[in-house]
Amino acid sequence: MDNSIVDRALVQYQSDLNNLLNQLQSFAVEINNQQLQVTISNLRNNINEPFLFVVVGEVKAGKSSFVNALLQADICKTAADPCTDVIQQIVYGEEKFEQPINQYLRKIGLPNEILKTLSIVDTPGTNTIVDNHQEITKEFIPNSDLIFFVFFAKNPYTRSAWELLDYVNTEWRKKVVFILQQSDLTKPEELAKNKEKLAELAQQKGLQSPVIFATSVELEVNGEPEHSGFTDVRNYIQQTLKDGGTKKLKLQGVAKTSEQIVVLIKKDLLSLQKQLAKDQEIVSKIKAKLQQNKRQSSFELESLINRLLSKYDKITARVKQDFRQELSIFTLIKGSFAVLFRTKKSAPSWMDELKQSCEAELKDSLGEISQDGIKHFVGGIRGLLQSLVDDLQGIKVNQISNSIITVNTIESRQEIVEDVQQKVSSLLDDKSFMHSIESVNASVAPRFLGGGAATVAGTAIAALTEIVLLDIIGTAFAGVGIIFAGGTLILKKRKIINQFETKLDQEKARFESELSDKLNSKLDIIYEEIERNFVNIYDYVEGEERKVLPLLASFQKIEQDAQEILGKVSI
């Protein structure tokens, strides 16, 4: 049979298909899928090899005996125990030979005319007791052009064989021929029923008009080929191979497998793209929440400062009023003589009382305001942390299952998300962190706000006490007349009051500036601490973008070429 390629369109199609496989091979390297690399490499090699029949089925279904009878040669070992321990590829050879290819594959050459146009592969059983044999069989299937599915005629319902059929038909869309082997052990009516049931099950699996043969090695080797069923099988093979169409069939088979590879990659890439979009959305949401909540926290602290300053103004206004009243000309006279004769309150006494009164009121009033304000501030932080934990829960579950795409940054996704979620959750229970937040209150009141404000007012009072006292005592000892003394004190009284009130006003500005600086500094530290816990998820998504986006761009070109090449159905 002449297998030379003379059709120019077929030659061009083979070249285009090989180029597509080359692109897929590079992409398989890019996505780090070694099994896919091997599959595509085998497909590229398979284009120039003879038509490939693969024989699959359960252990002891009679696969090896079927191959021996089909080729009328004792090629595959048969025994009571499972004996096909490697994949055996049977090819044409001028002389018989055996050549180990690797630990899983052995090539056998036979001078059989039918092998000039096809090669046959005998595989381990689907339910083999030998480790890795089912996986080996699955790895070889994508390279096949036609698959003989061998069942034991008495029981074609074994689960492992039908699971493999799902893999063959659904995942790789391979052409399948069913063989009911050892039919001589089955009654005719039972065989007919099993053939009917097999056809029904195959149709349920999406195989329309399934091809089914019943064969008997026993009848074939005992000289009853007209009843063995092998004549029908050989005729089917000859019909499949006639008119030099094997190359076209092979290319169509490779094209279907290539198309399925493209479909599988696209499916996973879409899942990957969807997951990336979800991760990007969550990261953007987290960053927006942190910025928004920081602005809200800043606003709450600013509002707190304004409330505290307003209360400061009210208290110091009363202090100023009390100071003016106590510093009247008559009070000063009474105070100076009280110093001399120890009969009544002195200036230092009422000044000290005024200071203590101011200090107590500031502590109580400002402390109460700060407690209320910080309560809202801390509550906002707690609410933010819980909200962020909930957001992370949205991307905690991996959106990709059974992916053929392996990207290093994506492999650790689950661990990274869980780690970040744990860290953020722990902030809610971390006593040191919550103490740090609540210590904003300690910075405000009573140590800073209450004590600080009292010190401001107290310092202003204490700084002027000595001036007032010296004036009073100096006047008394100088023996100056009441009129002159009074006139002098009146002039100094205005200066003292102005100094006192100016001092309080100046200290208010310093108080506001220092308070704002301290609280905003604390706010920055708190949010830096929160955001620091998200660094890993930020880095992960950036790495995900660097890995996934180029894959999407690369595959877009492959998909376009595949649509153009695989769309040529009439080769």
Side-chain angles (χ1 to χ4, degrees), residues 219-477:
L219 295 176
E220 177 71 15
V221 298
N222 288 328
E224 299 183 49
E226 67 278 10
H227 299 118
S228 69
F230 278 93
T231 300
D232 293 336
V233 176
R234 292 190 187 98
N235 289 338
Y236 176 83
I237 294 174
Q238 291 295 337
Q239 182 68 27
T240 301
L241 302 178
K242 75 174 183 177
D243 300 326
T246 55
K247 192 64 180 182
K248 183 175 180 179
L249 289 173
K250 173 172 280 296
L251 292 179
Q252 288 175 338
V254 172
K256 284 184 178 180
T257 303
S258 301
E259 181 182 19
Q260 189 63 10
I261 289 173
V262 171
V263 169
L264 291 173
I265 292 175
K266 182 177 181 179
K267 179 182 177 182
D268 280 354
L269 277 178
L270 288 175
S271 297
L272 208 59
Q273 186 177 27
K274 182 179 179 181
Q275 180 169 280
L276 172 60
K278 179 69 173 178
D279 292 348
Q280 290 171 323
E281 177 188 356
I282 291 297
V283 166
S284 297
K285 189 175 182 180
I286 288 171
K287 290 181 177 180
K289 277 189 177 181
L290 286 170
Q291 292 176 354
Q292 181 181 354
N293 274 68
K294 186 175 181 181
R295 287 195 296 269
Q296 179 62 30
S297 294
S298 179
F299 172 78
E300 289 175 354
L301 291 181
E302 183 180 351
S303 176
L304 172 61
I305 291 171
N306 289 334
R307 290 171 62 195
L308 291 169
L309 292 174
S310 176
K311 176 60 70 173
Y312 178 92
D313 286 339
K314 290 180 180 179
I315 293 173
T316 54
R318 182 191 60 77
V319 171
K320 290 176 183 179
Q321 180 64 31
D322 290 348
F323 191 79
R324 291 191 194 99
Q325 291 177 357
E326 291 291 342
L327 209 59
S328 66
I329 183 65
F330 299 106
T331 304
L332 285 173
I333 293 172
K334 289 171 59 181
S336 56
F337 280 101
V339 173
L340 294 174
F341 301 106
R342 310 291 183 194
T343 56
K344 296 205 176 181
K345 284 185 181 179
S346 64
S349 297
W350 65 260
M351 292 292 282
D352 189 54
E353 288 179 0
L354 182 60
K355 174 186 174 182
Q356 292 177 3
S357 172
C358 173
E359 187 177 60
E361 188 171 1
L362 282 170
K363 283 184 177 181
D364 292 341
S365 299
L366 300 189
E368 182 179 345
I369 293 173
S370 68
Q371 288 286 355
D372 181 63
I374 296 304
K375 178 181 179 182
H376 290 288
F377 175 79
V378 174
I381 297 292
R382 286 183 177 274
L384 169 65
L385 292 175
Q386 187 59 59
S387 176
L388 294 174
V389 170
D390 294 340
D391 289 340
L392 288 170
Q393 188 66 29
I395 61 170
K396 186 175 181 180
V397 178
N398 198 326
Q399 303 296 320
I400 300 177
S401 59
N402 300 324
S403 175
I404 65 171
I405 300 174
T406 304
V407 179
N408 291 336
T409 57
I410 296 173
E411 289 178 328
S412 57
R413 178 181 186 277
Q414 191 81 357
E415 291 78 7
I416 290 174
V417 174
E418 289 179 355
D419 179 63
V420 172
Q421 188 179 38
Q422 178 62 35
K423 286 180 179 178
V424 178
S425 297
S426 67
L427 291 180
L428 287 166
D429 302 319
D430 188 343
K431 292 183 179 180
S432 62
F433 177 71
M434 295 312 297
H435 177 73
S436 175
I437 295 178
E438 291 166 354
S439 69
V440 172
N441 188 37
S443 299
V444 175
R447 182 174 56 81
F448 183 81
L449 285 185
T455 301
V456 169
T459 299
I461 294 171
L464 297 173
T465 299
E466 186 176 357
I467 298 175
V468 175
L469 185 60
L470 288 175
D471 278 339
I472 294 173
I473 295 176
T475 300
F477 276 89

